[in-house]
Amino acid sequence: MIPGGGQPNMQQLLQQAQKMQQDLATAQEELARTEVDGQAGGGLVKATVTGSGELRGLVIDPKAVDPDDTETLADLIVAAVHAANENASALQQEKLGPLAQGLGGMPGLGI
């Protein structure tokens, strides 16, 4: 029993859970469409990923290309993609954090 002598309204709880799931799905779809950037080497290499972490683009300034030193270029690419993914993670936390917290502890919702 809940304070006040009433029983929790299971239908209302289920409706709230369904709405939260719909809000979460909408936010995830928005993340998949939103692009964020990361860069390395002072902007010599730029990576673009979606908010869900899918690599969408990579721009390499010709100044970063040294045929005798491909390891540095590879490091810059990895760093730019890593930076972009960190930005995507921050965006995910911003968009999904409150929704996921609201769904936490509700059995059967897969969160």
Side-chain angles (χ1 to χ4, degrees), residues 53-108:
E54 179 186 345
L55 182 62
R56 286 284 176 92
L58 187 62
V59 177
I60 302 170
D61 187 304
K63 293 180 227 167
V65 181
D66 178 354
D68 296 325
D69 186 13
T70 57
E71 288 180 19
T72 297
L73 178 57
D75 289 343
L76 290 173
I77 292 169
V78 169
V81 171
H82 180 73
N85 278 325
E86 283 182 346
N87 291 337
S89 291
L91 183 63
Q92 287 173 3
Q93 184 61 35
E94 179 184 320
K95 296 281 186 191
L96 300 180
L99 293 171
Q101 289 172 4
L103 290 172
M106 290 188 169

